[in-house]
Amino acid sequence: MKKTILAMAVPALLAAGSASASINLYDAEGVKVDASGAAEVQYFQGIGENKDGEWRLDDGDFAVNTEVAVSDDLAAIGHFAFKFEDSTTENDELYVGFKGNSWGTLTFGRQLLINDDMGITKDYELSSASNGTLRTEGDQVAKYVYDNGTFYAGLSTLQNSDGDEATDEYKIYDGRLGYRVADVDMRVYYYYADDAGVNADGDDFVYASKGDVENYNFEVEYAGIENVSLAASYGVNTVDDGSSKKEADFFSVAADYTHGKTTYAIGIDNQDNDSEEDVTGYYANVTYALHSNAHVITVPTN
């Protein structure tokens, strides 16, 4: 089915007359407090018979970050954030940790897993056949991220425990290794859900004593052509329920070209399933930058 989206994404106005996505609230005696916000509203129009347009309040976020300097290369950090969707307010991030310029960032709490960054698509949200995982966040996540500009890496784990040793739970482990050289950025993601099976709705994991889910994705991006960005990825997702395995291969390519304030992007994704029908998706979009933090986006896709 073909779809067309007209979307506008703008940051929340955190100060009168300002469209900045982030402002500093306090910075003194080694303590820094920053606040940020964003809002996205879409007009969605399906193409076909009996289709009507609708406004979608797609995204709204507000976050506060606190950093307390302990030494020249050690700071304690705290972060909380709320998202506003479907007329509800939900605390989706709440974590504490430590950071240093030379060794990275270590955090604990409610936050995103490393694999949430996986993918090279330029679709905003309508990619239909790209690689992904069912669980990308959790309340009991420990995460480490390191980036020196050339080499970067990350590890995270979701323990998913209720504190009772007798309760059976699944666990998730994932990581990323990346390397940047000249105009090339290469990375690989690995994801493993232990004692996990896919639920009846196909949108999350449940405990399964003999099950596991494994996923990896190789990605490369190239920016050596003026105003042009190219990207490709290949990945495999395997679901093992203890008696049989289902495997799917994913291949994605994408490109964009920027002229002044306008960026044109296209992409193709293919999902090759060993037990189901294969899926191929196409998309294109045009983004006009009203401001560095305000964009108008049009997205036709198949």
Side-chain angles (χ1 to χ4, degrees), residues 124 258-263 286-297:
Y124 290 101
T258 300
H259 178 71
K261 294 184 176 182
T262 305
T263 299
V286 179
T287 303
Y288 182 76
L290 300 170
H291 179 274
S292 60
N293 290 320
H295 302 83
V296 174
I297 307 152

Side-chain angles (χ1 to χ4, degrees), residues 14-284:
L14 302 179
S18 172
S20 174
S22 178
I23 61 172
N24 177 254
L25 301 177
Y26 182 83
D27 189 351
E29 299 180 348
V31 178
K32 292 195 298 183
V33 181
D34 297 319
S36 61
E40 181 173 337
V41 177
Q42 300 178 343
Y43 181 76
F44 185 92
Q45 173 67 64
I47 297 177
E49 295 182 2
N50 302 318
K51 299 294 183 181
D52 198 7
E54 63 173 322
W55 289 98
R56 302 196 308 191
L57 308 182
D58 184 71
D59 191 22
D61 300 285
F62 176 75
V64 175
N65 298 278
T66 302
E67 182 177 322
V68 180
V70 177
S71 67
D72 290 341
D73 197 31
L74 177 64
I77 57 175
H79 172 93
F80 66 83
F82 294 88
K83 65 179 180 180
F84 312 99
E85 296 178 5
D86 301 324
S87 301
T88 62
T89 301
E90 178 183 348
N91 173 230
D92 60 336
E93 291 182 303
L94 177 62
Y95 59 81
V96 297
F98 303 95
K99 64 180 292 187
N101 293 328
S102 64
W103 55 269
T105 304
L106 180 65
T107 51
F108 308 90
R110 179 179 297 142
Q111 57 186 318
L112 299 171
L113 292 161
I114 290 292
N115 76 93
D116 183 71
D117 293 328
M118 187 171 71
I120 54 88
T121 59
K122 302 176 185 294
D123 65 298
Y124 290 101
E125 68 170 61
L126 290 178
S127 176
S128 58
S130 56
N131 194 8
T133 57
L134 294 180
R135 169 64 64 172
T136 61
E137 60 186 344
D139 288 350
Q140 300 177 56
V141 173
K143 180 165 69 172
Y144 171 70
V145 176
Y146 173 79
D147 191 336
N148 67 8
T150 300
F151 171 77
Y152 57 102
L155 295 169
S156 63
T157 178
L158 170 62
Q159 292 305 297
N160 198 36
S161 173
D162 66 357
D164 187 347
E165 188 176 354
T167 304
D168 295 322
E169 301 111 354
Y170 66 84
K171 295 178 174 62
I172 295 175
Y173 310 90
D174 68 347
R176 172 185 62 219
L177 287 175
Y179 185 73
R180 305 182 187 97
V181 55
D183 298 309
V184 178
D185 186 343
M186 301 170 288
R187 54 193 175 267
V188 58
Y189 287 85
Y190 179 76
Y191 179 95
Y192 180 71
D194 187 29
D195 291 337
V198 180
N199 68 7
D201 294 329
D203 60 1
D204 203 352
F205 294 135
V206 294
Y207 173 76
S209 62
K210 298 181 179 180
D212 59 61
V213 178
E214 189 174 32
N215 188 298
Y216 63 82
N217 208 52
F218 296 97
E219 304 175 2
V220 59
E221 294 185 273
Y222 178 69
I225 305 172
E226 186 177 4
N227 299 327
V228 174
S229 175
L230 306 174
S233 67
Y234 172 75
V236 177
N237 187 77
T238 304
V239 179
D240 186 352
D241 63 8
S243 59
S244 63
K245 290 185 179 181
K246 291 184 178 180
E247 186 173 284
D249 297 339
F250 297 86
F251 180 69
S252 297
V253 292
D256 65 37
Y257 168 71
T258 300
H259 178 71
K261 294 184 176 182
T262 305
T263 299
Y264 307 88
I266 58 173
I268 302 174
D269 305 312
N270 178 257
Q271 179 180 344
D272 184 359
N273 299 296
D274 61 2
S275 58
E276 300 175 6
E277 184 178 354
D278 295 347
V279 180
T280 300
Y282 312 87
Y283 61 85

